[in-house]
Amino acid sequence: MAKNILITGGAGFIGSHVVRRFVKGYAGYNIYNLDVLTYAGNLENLKDVEGYSNYTFIKGDIVDVDFVQSLFAKYDFDGVIHLAAESHVDRSISDPLAFVRTNIIGTVNLLNSARDAWKGAYSKKRFYHISTDEVYGTLGSKGLFTERTAYDPNSPYSASKASSDHFVRAYGETYGLPYVISNCSNNYGPNHFPEKLIPLFINNIINNIPLPVYGDGKYTRDWLFVEDHAVAIDLIFHKGKGQETYNIGGFNEWQNIDLVKLLCKLMDQKLGRAKGTSERLISFVKDRPGHDLRYAIDASKINKELGWEPSVTFEEGLEYTIDWYLTNGAWLEHVTSGEYREYYKKMYAE
Ligand code: NAD
Ligand code: TYD
């Protein structure tokens, strides 16, 4: 019997890589991609899987109670991989309620439907919640986030994700719902919406627009290539221990300013521009409020238990990503027209 898997947020950045991996890699699964298509959701990300007979796109909102219940009744899902979310920290600062709505209420709505539809069949089901390392708050110059680090979120985004993680765990404790959670570090790669650091700066360099580095640029993130995250999600979904959490990271810490300088160097080479051209676009701007100093993940649990590790170095992944953006100008043009221009004006106005 084919397995029916619901993937939420599959038209977004990470979701599209997960959908592609599951549709192409598991012919025996029916993959249902539920996405409401916000500004961040884009079916162009999935053009290559559209025609697969084991793939179905469903446009809809995870917050809609009747709709989500009807989906569980109709498709008898064996598993859920839940990625749908509002995902950008800066947007969460200007509109926290949108994050409460989707990330918390949407997750609880999915949990309710899974709990009710799966009653009596829990042993064959799995609810996999995709989360972020940002729930752990910020590190000083030393230390790593482990699965036992206490939650200490600082932005409305991370607070909403932390809340959703707690609800998933609570449904496991209270109702016995079979779940697994993973908390991953910053992803980068193809199809990344150009509001996050790496794709925003690639787009700005292409267009000779200033590169707005927040504060002194000394903030540190741990970067992971998105396809390596998709591999980790595949492994955890199939082999991860139930009622547990896995941290996923790139073993790859960079201060923003060093990352931006590397990006500038690679972009000058790719665009045939004189050395130092892109670096001259760097502009230090007002800091993000509540800006977390440093994220770094201890990914030894997934490494030891499931044998996972990143497959590419940062330089390889970054070069691949830059090449993708340079050869997918139409994608970039489509996502940066319309609403994006308004967002950019509001966000980066003096
Ligand atoms: P994204 O913003 O690119 O995509 C989110 C997707 O969810 C979009 O396709 C959007 O249309 C959809 N969506 C939003 N609200 C919805 C709703 N109410 N109903 C149905 N669909 C809705 O996000 P992403 O970067 O791909 O992140 C995916 C998940 O991974 C999120 O849960 C995020 O918290 C988590 N995560 C992201 C990163 C990262 O670096 N991007 C790192 C760790 C964890
Ligand atoms: P971002 O890609 O938004 O991811 P997150 O906030 O979830 O880590 O930002 C990564 C880092 O880059 C973070 O320290 C904020 C910084 N940043 C800038 O300096 N300028 C920008 O324009 C953006 C979007 C981010």
Side-chain angles (χ1 to χ4, degrees):
M1 270 263 288
K3 274 195 170 188
N4 291 338
I5 312 292
L6 174 68
I7 300 181
T8 71
F13 167 47
I14 301 171
S16 61
H17 291 272
V18 175
V19 166
R20 178 174 300 104
R21 185 174 177 84
F22 275 69
V23 168
K24 294 190 174 174
Y26 297 98
Y29 290 0
N30 294 312
I31 301 301
Y32 298 90
N33 171 15
L34 169 61
D35 198 301
V36 78
L37 300 180
T38 66
Y39 75 92
N42 184 351
L43 290 178
E44 275 185 68
N45 296 348
L46 288 166
K47 268 203 152 38
D48 58 325
V49 299
E50 253 169 25
Y52 279 62
S53 59
N54 64 337
Y55 172 66
T56 306
F57 173 68
I58 302 165
K59 186 169 188 303
D61 191 336
I62 58 165
V63 174
D64 184 334
V65 175
D66 294 341
F67 174 69
V68 171
Q69 259 173 18
S70 73
L71 284 186
F72 274 80
K74 185 169 176 192
Y75 294 111
D76 188 22
F77 297 123
D78 299 287
V80 173
I81 305 178
H82 173 37
L83 296 111
E86 290 293 338
S87 67
H88 188 38
V89 172
D90 293 323
R91 287 187 193 250
S92 83
I93 293 169
S94 46
D95 186 10
L97 265 182
F99 287 66
V100 171
R101 183 187 179 278
T102 295
N103 299 359
I104 306 177
I105 300 175
T107 300
V108 175
N109 190 34
L110 285 165
L111 288 167
N112 280 340
S113 286
R115 179 198 59 194
D116 297 346
W118 293 352
K119 218 171 261 167
Y122 278 176
S123 63
K124 289 184 248 138
K125 310 288 188 183
R126 168 156 278 191
F127 189 103
Y128 181 6
H129 178 60
I130 307 297
S131 193
T132 166
D133 62 353
E134 303 191 24
V135 299
Y136 298 122
T138 188
L139 291 163
S141 58
K142 289 211 176 76
L144 300 170
F145 296 134
T146 75
E147 287 82 0
R148 287 167 309 285
T149 302
Y151 277 31
D152 192 17
N154 291 316
S155 73
Y157 164 63
S158 54
S160 69
K161 291 297 291 187
S163 173
S164 65
D165 293 10
H166 289 322
F167 270 104
V168 174
R169 236 196 102 258
Y171 272 58
E173 291 294 315
T174 305
Y175 307 108
L177 189 84
Y179 74 87
V180 64
I181 298 174
S182 59
N183 296 82
C184 188
S185 62
N186 288 58
N187 285 214
Y188 69 95
N191 302 114
H192 206 183
F193 191 80
E195 63 184 353
K196 309 273 170 67
L197 180 74
I198 290 179
L200 181 91
F201 280 29
I202 290 175
N203 187 42
N204 284 14
I205 291 171
I206 293 172
N207 295 297
N208 278 307
I209 296 170
L211 306 175
V213 174
Y214 296 161
D216 61 5
K218 299 260 169 74
Y219 297 90
T220 300
R221 298 291 182 264
D222 172 359
W223 294 94
L224 177 67
F225 187 55
V226 64
E227 287 177 20
D228 281 329
H229 189 189
V231 172
I233 288 173
D234 185 343
L235 276 172
I236 292 170
F237 181 70
H238 289 102
K239 299 190 179 141
K241 283 196 195 124
Q243 322 304 82
E244 291 208 9
T245 285
Y246 290 86
N247 279 356
I248 309 168
F251 305 98
N252 179 41
E253 284 183 52
W254 284 78
Q255 278 196 350
N256 291 343
I257 190 63
D258 295 334
L259 188 165
V260 170
K261 285 183 179 165
L262 172 64
L263 193 60
C264 288
K265 188 179 102 187
L266 292 172
M267 289 293 288
D268 283 345
Q269 287 164 5
K270 298 276 176 193
L271 293 167
R273 292 179 182 168
K275 220 168 146 187
T277 308
S278 299
E279 255 195 59
R280 282 195 285 279
L281 293 171
I282 292 176
S283 151
F284 291 93
V285 299
K286 194 161 82 79
D287 211 347
R288 171 188 280 172
H291 200 164
D292 286 332
L293 178 67
R294 177 171 163 258
Y295 304 145
I297 280 274
D298 174 354
S300 55
K301 177 175 172 182
I302 184 174
N303 176 255
K304 281 199 196 99
E305 281 188 21
L306 304 178
W308 176 89
E309 60 184 4
S311 70
V312 294
T313 65
F314 191 45
E315 284 77 2
E316 286 166 346
L318 205 50
E319 224 181 297
Y320 183 91
T321 303
I322 292 169
D323 287 341
W324 186 87
Y325 279 91
L326 291 177
T327 49
N328 286 274
W331 183 95
L332 204 47
E333 232 173 88
H334 295 163
V335 303
T336 52
S337 56
E339 194 260 1
Y340 181 82
R341 299 213 175 123
E342 287 312 305
Y343 167 79
Y344 202 93
K345 254 194 266 164
K346 249 194 255 158
M347 183 65 213
Y348 294 102
E350 285 304 301

Coordinates of all heavy atoms in Angstrom, one line a residue, residues 8-16 34-42 60-63 82-88 101-103 106 129-134 157 161 182-188 191-193 195-196 223 229, ligand 1:
T8 N 3.6 20.2 4.6 CA 3.0 21.6 4.6 C 4.2 22.6 4.3 O 5.3 22.3 4.6 CB 2.4 22.0 6.0 OG1 3.5 22.1 7.0 CG2 1.4 20.9 6.5
G9 N 3.8 23.7 3.6 CA 4.8 24.7 3.3 C 5.7 24.2 2.2 O 6.9 24.7 2.1
G10 N 5.3 23.3 1.4 CA 6.2 22.7 0.4 C 6.5 23.6 -0.8 O 7.4 23.3 -1.6
A11 N 5.8 24.7 -0.9 CA 6.2 25.7 -2.0 C 7.2 26.7 -1.5 O 7.6 27.5 -2.3 CB 4.9 26.4 -2.5
G12 N 7.6 26.6 -0.3 CA 8.6 27.6 0.2 C 10.0 27.1 0.0 O 10.2 26.1 -0.8
F13 N 11.0 27.7 0.6 CA 12.4 27.5 0.3 C 12.8 26.0 0.7 O 13.0 25.2 -0.2 CB 13.2 28.5 1.1 CG 14.7 28.2 1.3 CD1 15.4 27.8 0.2 CD2 15.3 28.3 2.5 CE1 16.8 27.6 0.3 CE2 16.7 28.1 2.6 CZ 17.4 27.7 1.5
I14 N 12.7 25.7 2.0 CA 13.2 24.4 2.4 C 12.1 23.3 2.0 O 12.5 22.2 1.5 CB 13.4 24.3 3.9 CG1 14.4 25.3 4.4 CG2 13.8 22.9 4.4 CD1 14.5 25.5 5.9
G15 N 10.9 23.7 2.1 CA 9.8 22.7 1.8 C 9.9 22.2 0.3 O 9.7 21.0 0.1
S16 N 10.3 23.1 -0.6 CA 10.4 22.7 -2.0 C 11.5 21.6 -2.2 O 11.3 20.7 -3.0 CB 10.6 23.8 -2.9 OG 11.8 24.5 -2.6
L34 N 0.7 20.9 1.0 CA -0.3 21.9 1.4 C 0.3 23.2 1.6 O 1.2 23.3 2.5 CB -1.0 21.4 2.7 CG -1.9 22.4 3.4 CD1 -3.1 22.9 2.5 CD2 -2.5 21.8 4.7
D35 N -0.1 24.2 0.8 CA 0.6 25.5 1.0 C -0.4 26.6 0.6 O -1.1 26.5 -0.4 CB 1.8 25.6 0.0 CG 2.8 26.7 0.4 OD1 2.3 27.8 0.4 OD2 3.9 26.4 0.8
V36 N -0.5 27.7 1.3 CA -1.4 28.8 1.0 C -0.8 29.8 0.0 O -1.5 30.6 -0.5 CB -1.9 29.4 2.4 CG1 -0.8 30.4 2.9 CG2 -3.2 30.1 2.2
L37 N 0.5 29.6 -0.3 CA 1.2 30.5 -1.2 C 1.2 31.9 -0.7 O 0.5 32.8 -1.3 CB 0.6 30.4 -2.6 CG 0.7 29.0 -3.3 CD1 0.1 29.0 -4.7 CD2 2.1 28.4 -3.3
T38 N 1.9 32.2 0.4 CA 2.1 33.6 0.8 C 3.2 34.1 -0.1 O 3.6 33.5 -1.1 CB 2.7 33.6 2.2 OG1 4.0 33.0 2.2 CG2 1.8 32.9 3.2
Y39 N 3.6 35.3 0.2 CA 4.7 35.9 -0.6 C 5.9 35.0 -0.8 O 6.7 35.0 -1.8 CB 5.2 37.3 0.0 CG 6.0 37.0 1.2 CD1 7.4 36.9 1.1 CD2 5.4 36.8 2.5 CE1 8.2 36.7 2.2 CE2 6.2 36.5 3.6 CZ 7.6 36.5 3.4 OH 8.4 36.2 4.5
A40 N 6.1 34.1 0.2 CA 7.3 33.2 0.3 C 7.0 31.9 -0.5 O 8.0 31.1 -0.7 CB 7.7 32.9 1.7
G41 N 5.8 31.6 -0.8 CA 5.5 30.3 -1.4 C 5.4 30.5 -2.9 O 4.8 31.5 -3.4
N42 N 6.0 29.6 -3.7 CA 6.2 29.8 -5.1 C 6.2 28.5 -5.8 O 7.1 27.7 -5.7 CB 7.5 30.6 -5.3 CG 7.8 31.0 -6.7 OD1 7.0 30.6 -7.6 ND2 8.8 31.8 -7.0
G60 N -4.1 25.8 0.4 CA -5.0 26.0 1.5 C -4.2 26.4 2.7 O -3.0 26.4 2.8
D61 N -5.0 26.9 3.7 CA -4.4 27.5 4.9 C -4.4 26.5 6.1 O -5.4 26.0 6.5 CB -5.3 28.8 5.3 CG -4.6 29.7 6.3 OD1 -3.8 29.2 7.1 OD2 -5.0 30.8 6.3
I62 N -3.2 26.4 6.7 CA -3.2 25.4 7.9 C -4.0 25.9 9.1 O -4.2 25.1 10.0 CB -1.7 25.1 8.3 CG1 -1.0 26.4 8.7 CG2 -0.9 24.4 7.2 CD1 0.3 26.2 9.5
V63 N -4.4 27.1 9.0 CA -5.2 27.7 10.2 C -6.7 27.3 10.0 O -7.4 27.4 11.0 CB -5.0 29.2 10.3 CG1 -5.9 29.8 11.3 CG2 -3.5 29.5 10.6
H82 N 5.8 19.0 8.7 CA 5.2 20.3 8.9 C 6.3 21.4 8.8 O 7.0 21.6 9.7 CB 4.5 20.3 10.2 CG 3.9 21.7 10.6 ND1 3.4 22.6 9.6 CD2 3.8 22.3 11.8 CE1 3.0 23.7 10.2 NE2 3.3 23.6 11.5
L83 N 6.3 22.1 7.6 CA 7.2 23.2 7.4 C 6.6 24.5 7.3 O 7.2 25.5 7.4 CB 8.1 22.9 6.2 CG 9.0 21.7 6.1 CD1 8.5 20.7 5.2 CD2 10.4 22.1 5.8
A84 N 5.3 24.5 7.0 CA 4.6 25.8 6.8 C 4.8 26.8 7.9 O 4.6 26.4 9.1 CB 3.1 25.6 6.5
A85 N 5.2 28.0 7.6 CA 5.5 28.9 8.7 C 5.7 30.3 8.1 O 6.0 30.5 6.9 CB 6.7 28.5 9.5
E86 N 5.5 31.3 8.9 CA 6.1 32.6 8.7 C 7.5 32.5 9.2 O 7.7 32.0 10.3 CB 5.4 33.7 9.4 CG 4.0 34.0 8.9 CD 4.0 34.6 7.5 OE1 5.0 35.2 7.1 OE2 3.0 34.5 6.8
S87 N 8.5 32.9 8.4 CA 9.9 32.5 8.7 C 10.9 33.6 8.8 O 12.1 33.3 9.1 CB 10.4 31.4 7.7 OG 10.6 32.1 6.4
H88 N 10.5 34.8 8.6 CA 11.5 35.9 8.6 C 11.5 36.8 9.9 O 10.5 37.4 10.2 CB 11.4 36.8 7.4 CG 12.5 37.7 7.2 ND1 13.8 37.4 7.4 CD2 12.5 39.0 6.7 CE1 14.5 38.5 7.1 NE2 13.8 39.5 6.7
R101 N -0.4 33.6 14.4 CA -1.5 32.9 13.6 C -1.0 31.6 12.9 O -1.5 30.5 13.2 CB -2.1 33.9 12.6 CG -3.2 33.4 11.8 CD -3.6 34.4 10.7 NE -4.7 33.8 10.0 CZ -4.6 32.9 9.0 NH1 -3.4 32.5 8.6 NH2 -5.7 32.5 8.4
T102 N 0.0 31.8 12.1 CA 0.4 30.6 11.3 C 1.2 29.6 12.1 O 1.0 28.4 12.1 CB 1.3 31.1 10.1 OG1 0.4 31.8 9.2 CG2 1.9 29.9 9.3
N103 N 2.2 30.2 12.8 CA 3.2 29.3 13.5 C 2.6 28.6 14.7 O 2.9 27.4 15.0 CB 4.5 30.0 13.9 CG 5.2 30.6 12.6 OD1 4.7 30.4 11.5 ND2 6.3 31.3 12.8
G106 N -1.8 27.6 13.5 CA -1.7 26.7 12.4 C -1.2 25.3 12.9 O -1.7 24.3 12.5
H129 N 7.6 17.7 13.1 CA 7.6 19.2 13.2 C 9.0 19.8 12.9 O 9.9 19.4 13.6 CB 7.1 19.6 14.6 CG 7.0 21.1 14.8 ND1 6.3 21.9 14.0 CD2 7.7 21.9 15.7 CE1 6.4 23.2 14.5 NE2 7.3 23.2 15.5
I130 N 9.1 20.7 11.9 CA 10.4 21.3 11.5 C 10.5 22.6 12.3 O 9.7 23.5 12.1 CB 10.4 21.5 10.0 CG1 10.1 20.2 9.2 CG2 11.8 22.1 9.6 CD1 11.0 19.1 9.4
S131 N 11.6 22.7 13.0 CA 11.8 24.0 13.8 C 13.2 24.5 13.6 O 14.0 24.0 12.8 CB 11.4 23.8 15.2 OG 11.3 25.0 15.9
T132 N 13.5 25.5 14.4 CA 14.7 26.3 14.2 C 15.6 26.3 15.5 O 15.1 26.1 16.6 CB 14.3 27.7 13.8 OG1 15.5 28.5 14.0 CG2 13.3 28.3 14.8
D133 N 16.9 26.5 15.3 CA 17.8 26.6 16.5 C 17.5 27.9 17.2 O 18.0 28.1 18.3 CB 19.2 26.5 16.0 CG 19.7 27.6 15.1 OD1 18.8 28.4 14.6 OD2 20.9 27.7 14.8
E134 N 16.7 28.9 16.6 CA 16.5 30.2 17.2 C 15.7 30.1 18.5 O 15.7 31.0 19.3 CB 15.9 31.2 16.2 CG 16.8 31.3 14.9 CD 16.4 32.4 14.0 OE1 15.8 33.4 14.4 OE2 16.7 32.3 12.8
Y157 N 9.4 35.8 16.0 CA 9.5 34.6 15.2 C 10.0 33.4 16.1 O 9.3 32.4 16.1 CB 10.6 34.8 14.1 CG 11.0 33.5 13.4 CD1 10.1 32.7 12.7 CD2 12.3 33.1 13.5 CE1 10.5 31.5 12.2 CE2 12.7 31.9 12.9 CZ 11.8 31.1 12.2 OH 12.2 29.9 11.7
K161 N 7.9 30.0 17.1 CA 8.4 28.6 16.8 C 8.6 27.8 18.1 O 8.2 26.6 18.2 CB 9.7 28.6 16.1 CG 9.6 29.2 14.6 CD 8.8 28.3 13.7 CE 9.3 27.0 13.4 NZ 8.5 26.3 12.3
S182 N 12.7 18.5 14.8 CA 14.1 18.9 14.6 C 14.3 20.4 14.6 O 13.4 21.1 14.2 CB 14.7 18.3 13.3 OG 14.0 18.7 12.2
N183 N 15.4 20.8 15.1 CA 15.8 22.2 15.2 C 17.1 22.5 14.4 O 18.1 22.0 14.8 CB 16.0 22.7 16.7 CG 14.7 22.5 17.5 OD1 14.4 21.4 17.9 ND2 14.0 23.6 17.6
C184 N 16.9 23.2 13.3 CA 18.0 23.4 12.4 C 18.6 24.8 12.4 O 17.9 25.8 12.7 CB 17.6 23.0 11.0 SG 18.9 22.9 9.8
S185 N 19.9 24.9 12.0 CA 20.5 26.2 11.9 C 20.1 26.9 10.6 O 19.3 26.4 9.8 CB 22.0 26.0 12.0 OG 22.4 25.2 10.9
N186 N 20.7 28.0 10.3 CA 20.4 28.8 9.1 C 20.7 28.0 7.8 O 21.8 27.5 7.6 CB 21.3 30.1 9.0 CG 20.8 31.1 10.0 OD1 20.8 30.8 11.2 ND2 20.4 32.3 9.6
N187 N 19.7 27.9 6.9 CA 19.9 27.3 5.6 C 20.2 28.3 4.5 O 19.9 29.5 4.7 CB 18.6 26.6 5.2 CG 18.2 25.3 6.0 OD1 17.7 24.4 5.4 ND2 18.6 25.2 7.2
Y188 N 20.9 27.8 3.5 CA 21.0 28.6 2.3 C 21.0 27.7 1.1 O 21.2 26.5 1.2 CB 22.4 29.4 2.3 CG 23.6 28.4 2.2 CD1 24.2 28.2 1.0 CD2 24.1 27.7 3.3 CE1 25.2 27.3 0.8 CE2 25.1 26.8 3.2 CZ 25.7 26.6 1.9 OH 26.7 25.7 1.8
N191 N 16.4 28.8 -4.5 CA 15.0 29.0 -4.2 C 14.8 29.8 -2.8 O 13.7 29.8 -2.3 CB 14.1 27.7 -4.1 CG 14.1 27.0 -5.4 OD1 14.7 25.9 -5.5 ND2 13.6 27.6 -6.5
H192 N 15.8 30.4 -2.3 CA 15.7 31.1 -1.0 C 15.2 32.5 -1.3 O 15.8 33.2 -2.1 CB 17.1 31.2 -0.4 CG 17.2 31.3 1.1 ND1 18.3 31.5 1.8 CD2 16.2 31.4 2.0 CE1 18.1 31.6 3.1 NE2 16.8 31.5 3.2
F193 N 14.1 32.9 -0.7 CA 13.5 34.2 -0.9 C 14.5 35.3 -0.6 O 15.0 35.3 0.5 CB 12.2 34.3 -0.2 CG 11.4 35.5 -0.6 CD1 10.6 35.4 -1.7 CD2 11.4 36.7 0.1 CE1 9.9 36.5 -2.2 CE2 10.7 37.8 -0.3 CZ 9.9 37.7 -1.4
E195 N 14.9 37.9 1.0 CA 14.7 38.8 2.1 C 15.7 38.4 3.2 O 16.1 39.1 4.1 CB 13.3 38.7 2.7 CG 13.0 37.3 3.2 CD 11.5 37.2 3.7 OE1 10.8 38.2 3.8 OE2 11.2 36.0 4.0
K196 N 16.2 37.1 3.1 CA 17.2 36.6 4.1 C 18.6 37.0 3.6 O 18.8 37.2 2.4 CB 17.1 35.1 4.2 CG 15.7 34.6 4.4 CD 15.3 34.5 5.9 CE 13.8 34.3 6.2 NZ 13.4 33.0 5.8
W223 N 25.8 28.0 9.1 CA 25.1 27.8 7.8 C 25.1 26.4 7.3 O 26.2 25.7 7.3 CB 25.7 28.8 6.8 CG 25.5 30.2 7.2 CD1 26.4 31.0 7.9 CD2 24.4 31.0 6.9 NE1 25.8 32.3 8.1 CE2 24.6 32.3 7.4 CE3 23.2 30.8 6.2 CZ2 23.7 33.3 7.3 CZ3 22.3 31.8 6.1 CH2 22.5 33.1 6.7
H229 N 19.9 19.7 4.6 CA 18.8 19.7 5.6 C 17.7 18.7 5.1 O 17.2 18.0 5.9 CB 18.2 21.2 5.7 CG 17.3 21.3 6.8 ND1 16.5 22.5 7.0 CD2 16.8 20.5 7.8 CE1 15.7 22.3 8.0 NE2 15.9 21.1 8.5
Ligands
NAD1 P1 9.6 30.0 3.7 O1 9.1 31.3 4.3 O2 10.5 30.0 2.6 O3 8.4 29.1 3.4 C1 7.2 28.9 4.2 C2 6.1 28.3 3.3 O4 5.0 28.1 4.2 C3 5.7 29.2 2.1 O5 5.6 28.4 1.0 C4 4.3 29.7 2.6 O6 3.4 30.0 1.5 C5 3.8 28.6 3.5 N1 2.8 29.1 4.4 C6 2.9 30.2 5.2 N2 1.8 30.3 5.9 C7 1.0 29.3 5.6 C8 -0.3 28.9 6.0 N3 -1.0 29.6 6.9 N4 -0.9 27.8 5.5 C9 -0.2 27.1 4.6 N5 1.0 27.4 4.1 C10 1.6 28.5 4.6 O7 10.3 29.2 4.9 P2 11.5 28.2 5.0 O8 12.7 29.0 5.1 O9 11.4 27.3 3.9 O10 11.3 27.5 6.4 C11 10.5 26.3 6.4 C12 10.4 25.8 7.8 O11 11.7 25.5 8.3 C13 9.8 26.8 8.8 O12 9.0 26.1 9.7 C14 11.0 27.4 9.5 O13 10.7 27.9 10.8 C15 12.0 26.3 9.5 N6 13.4 26.6 9.5 C16 13.9 27.5 8.6 C17 15.3 27.7 8.5 C18 15.9 28.7 7.5 O14 17.1 28.9 7.6 N7 15.2 29.1 6.5 C19 16.1 27.2 9.5 C20 15.6 26.3 10.4 C21 14.2 26.0 10.4

